[in-house]
Amino acid sequence: MRTVIARPHWSYSSVSQYLKCPLQYYFERVAKLPRKRVTDAQVLGSAVHSALAAYHRKLQSGEPISSEAVRHAYLDSWDGQVGDGRVVASGGKPLGASRDLGMALVDIYLEQPPPRTIVAVECPKMAPIADSRGDYLEKPVMVVADLVTRREDGSLRITEIKTSGRAYSESEAATSLQPTFYANAYYESAGEDPAVEFAVLVKTKVPRLQRIQAVRTTSDYRRLGDLIKVVERAVDAEIFYPVESPLNCSGCPFHRPCREWTGRHGRTHVVASRPEELVAC
């Protein structure tokens, strides 16, 4: 279970959610509407991360762990999430097919040489971030890297594990904000530029593991600081609007309040799951 950080901060998930759809950001992080449903892809990704975190923690402590124990950790996480009835199957496939696919992804990862010299596993780290003028923002950033190791030359390597329906492109690795969040946090706290890589478990007919590097520099950190400043100003100004697209809307858990949104500013009310549940904007 990941630690909850009480201090106000920015994270990759919050910034990227605002950039993806400001209104979804509002519903989840300002109005705090509950998610009424999650997709099987989200459950699969969460269960895979839970299982591999258990695997990595055992390796870090030097304790033995069998492949069967990692599989059980995956199934326990899956069962714990689907038990509340909120999970929606996607693509017309039964939930059992998604569960089995996730198990296959775990097995693919376990076939790889185990990581060595593990420094941290899903350990929250909060760090300052500066803009291109060198001014530090009032709110820090917070990251929770899946895996941090030391390479043979002593340098840090951060591994972000992803489950995806397709392989990542070099362009995606080069432009994703997530590695920039990680690299900045460790640069500010440890004084070194870490290597960042995506370990992508690709959900193709024959599952495979793709590793792709994401190189970041100080200029990338400062550009991220500029971007966060703009997002913060927009949130403070209550600029929330929908970005409608098949990709954004198909699995969105806030479809109903989104359709009831009117674009009014001030104390606009959004109806939640029942007419008596009103949330002030």
Side-chain angles (χ1 to χ4, degrees):
M1 181 178 294
R2 292 184 172 181
T3 305
V4 177
I5 305 296
R7 180 180 174 183
H9 61 269
W10 288 104
S11 65
Y12 165 71
S13 61
S14 61
V15 172
S16 62
Q17 185 178 41
Y18 185 89
L19 296 175
K20 176 184 176 183
C21 180
L23 191 58
Q24 187 187 86
Y25 175 99
Y26 168 77
F27 288 141
E28 182 155 15
R29 299 177 188 273
V30 180
K32 300 189 183 302
L33 299 186
R35 285 179 172 253
K36 295 300 183 182
R37 63 177 185 174
V38 294
T39 66
D40 55 348
Q42 292 171 319
V43 173
L44 181 152
S46 176
V48 167
H49 275 83
S50 179
L52 297 185
Y55 170 59
H56 292 147
R57 289 191 179 102
K58 288 292 187 180
L59 293 177
Q60 183 182 22
S61 65
E63 300 177 58
I65 183 169
S66 66
S67 297
E68 194 62 28
V70 181
R71 295 188 188 100
H72 277 303
Y74 168 79
L75 291 175
D76 287 345
S77 178
W78 175 279
D79 291 341
Q81 294 179 80
V82 301
D84 60 10
R86 295 186 304 137
V87 180
V88 177
S90 56
K93 295 181 180 180
L95 288 178
S98 293
R99 178 198 60 208
D100 294 345
L101 176 58
M103 183 74 80
L105 297 178
V106 170
D107 288 340
I108 289 293
Y109 190 89
L110 294 178
E111 291 173 3
Q112 310 300 310
R116 303 171 62 184
T117 320
I118 295 176
V119 176
V121 179
E122 291 193 347
C123 180
K125 180 176 288 293
M126 191 170 285
I129 186 167
D131 61 18
S132 57
R133 298 175 58 183
D135 298 327
Y136 282 92
L137 279 60
E138 182 177 348
K139 288 183 183 178
V141 297
M142 195 271 285
V143 301
V144 185
D146 291 330
L147 179 66
V148 182
T149 58
R150 285 222 175 260
R151 301 190 289 185
E152 291 184 358
D153 63 1
S155 62
L156 283 174
R157 175 169 57 196
I158 300 171
T159 300
E160 171 64 18
I161 299 170
K162 295 291 188 184
T163 57
S164 174
R166 57 177 177 76
Y168 273 31
S169 67
E170 293 288 344
S171 175
E172 286 174 299
T175 58
S176 172
L177 294 178
Q178 194 165 22
T180 316
F181 268 90
Y182 290 149
N184 171 82
Y186 278 83
Y187 172 79
E188 290 287 354
S189 61
E192 58 182 305
D193 288 300
V196 185
E197 70 169 4
F198 287 111
V200 187
L201 291 162
V202 187
K203 299 181 288 185
T204 45
K205 187 174 183 180
V206 179
R208 66 186 181 92
L209 174 63
Q210 173 200 27
R211 293 189 185 273
I212 185 168
Q213 305 303 308
V215 178
R216 296 295 184 270
T217 65
T218 306
S219 63
D220 296 311
Y221 311 155
R222 300 302 179 247
R223 181 176 174 85
L224 177 61
D226 290 339
L227 177 62
I228 292 174
K229 270 204 321 186
V230 172
V231 170
E232 186 165 50
R233 286 202 301 265
V235 170
D236 290 344
E238 299 184 357
I239 299 175
F240 304 115
Y241 57 90
V243 177
E244 297 182 347
S245 70
L247 182 63
N248 278 357
C249 301
S250 59
C252 182
F254 306 113
H255 177 75
R256 178 178 173 183
C258 179
R259 299 314 302 171
E260 293 167 346
W261 173 80
T262 63
R264 291 180 293 167
H265 296 288
R267 298 190 61 81
T268 304
H269 288 84
V270 176
V271 180
S273 59
R274 294 187 298 274
E276 63 270 22
E277 295 178 349
L278 298 179
V279 179
C281 296

